[in-house]
């Protein structure tokens, strides 16, 4: 079915989405620079959960992730930052990762890793950046080797590896979750007709 109906609550160009601790669905409305909340059972609009982002702002929200601290983190594609909101009230807290930190440009997707740190893809730099999960400070460019071309979606797999979608390379590449060293192309270029892969997720049966 159509779980969230067209333009519900002002939704425009939805990109990232995530179910929150309350069981509801949070969706980044790219054209309105806001995060909208929908009933996790019915898809009915609840409210505009979060918007704005202090002086640095939030522009074109992409990935929407709840962190280990229960707060909501949003990647701003055009603001080149990661903004944090209170996970209960939606109130702006801070710019968790400032624009350009470590070379970050147009962040696309992000996830918290097993080490508690934040991993963010930067398609223009073809990299995965790692930031301290407690204060957002830059740690390093995590990935090395491989041939990422337009690093996009990423997720840690049940096998302990980091999987990253290469949008322009039409592959999904796998990296060691501890060292960030390239392991292999888990999906080779165009496998099964793969074209422009973006976000990734593992199903309960451990298929990606």
């Amino acid at each position: 079915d159509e779980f969230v109906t067209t333009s519900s609550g002002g939704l425009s160009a939805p990109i990232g989405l995530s179910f929150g601790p309350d069981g509801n669905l949070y969706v980044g409305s790219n054209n309105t620079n806001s995060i909208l909340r929908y009933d996790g059972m019915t898809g009915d609009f609840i409210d505009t959960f979060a918007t704005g982002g202090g002086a640095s702002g939030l522009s074109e929200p992409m990935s929407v992730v709840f962190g280990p601290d229960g707060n909501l983190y949003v990647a701003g594609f055009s603001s080149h930052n990661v903004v944090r909101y209170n996970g209960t009230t939606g109130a702006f807290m801070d710019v968790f990762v400032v624009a350009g930190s470590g070379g970050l440009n147009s962040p696309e997707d992000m996830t918290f890793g097993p080490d508690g740190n934040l991993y963010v893809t930067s398609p223009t730099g073809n990299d995965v950046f790692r930031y301290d999960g407690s204060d957002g400070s830059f740690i390093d460019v995590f990935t090395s080797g491989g041939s990422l071309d337009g690093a996009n979606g990423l997720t840690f797999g049940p096998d302990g590896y980091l999987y990253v979608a290469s949008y322009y390379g039409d592959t999904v590449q796998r990296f060691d979750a501890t060292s960030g060293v390239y392991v292999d192309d888990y999906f080779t270029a165009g496998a099964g007709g793969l074209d422009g892969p973006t976000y990734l997720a593992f199903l309960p049966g451990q298929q990606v």
Side-chain angles (χ1 to χ4, degrees):
D1 57 14
E2 190 172 88
F3 187 68
V4 174
T5 57
T6 302
S7 302
S8 174
L11 185 65
S12 180
I15 306 287
L17 71 168
S18 178
F19 280 92
D22 59 1
N24 292 316
L25 180 65
Y26 294 75
V27 184
S29 181
N30 196 264
N31 288 342
T32 62
N33 299 323
S34 57
I35 309 303
L36 307 183
R37 178 166 53 174
Y38 300 89
D39 187 284
M41 297 295 293
T42 66
D44 292 337
F45 175 70
I46 297 176
D47 57 13
T48 297
F49 182 74
T51 189
S56 299
L58 172 68
S59 181
E60 292 192 273
M62 302 295 284
S63 182
V64 176
V65 174
F66 281 88
D69 58 1
N71 293 314
L72 179 64
Y73 295 74
V74 183
F77 187 80
S78 292
S79 50
H80 312 293
N81 58 11
V82 176
V83 178
R84 179 167 56 173
Y85 301 94
N86 184 287
T88 302
T89 67
F92 169 73
M93 294 178 63
D94 55 18
V95 176
F96 188 71
V97 176
V98 298
S101 176
L104 184 65
N105 185 42
S106 300
E108 185 80 32
D109 196 13
M110 59 184 176
T111 187
F112 282 89
D115 58 1
N117 292 315
L118 182 64
Y119 294 74
V120 185
T121 54
S122 183
T124 55
N126 303 320
D127 296 308
V128 175
F129 294 89
R130 180 166 55 172
Y131 299 91
D132 188 286
S134 60
D135 62 15
S137 59
F138 176 69
I139 297 176
D140 57 15
V141 175
F142 182 70
T143 51
S144 63
S147 56
L148 288 175
D149 188 3
N152 208 297
L154 78 168
T155 188
F156 285 90
D159 56 4
Y161 291 110
L162 175 64
Y163 291 73
V164 184
S166 179
Y167 183 83
Y168 296 110
D170 298 328
T171 64
V172 172
Q173 298 187 18
R174 187 162 58 166
F175 297 85
D176 185 280
T178 301
S179 66
V181 172
Y182 168 78
V183 176
D184 57 17
D185 280 13
Y186 188 70
F187 295 150
T188 56
L194 187 64
D195 184 16
T198 51
Y199 294 138
L200 308 173
F202 277 89
L203 295 174
Q206 299 186 358
Q207 294 175 317
V208 67

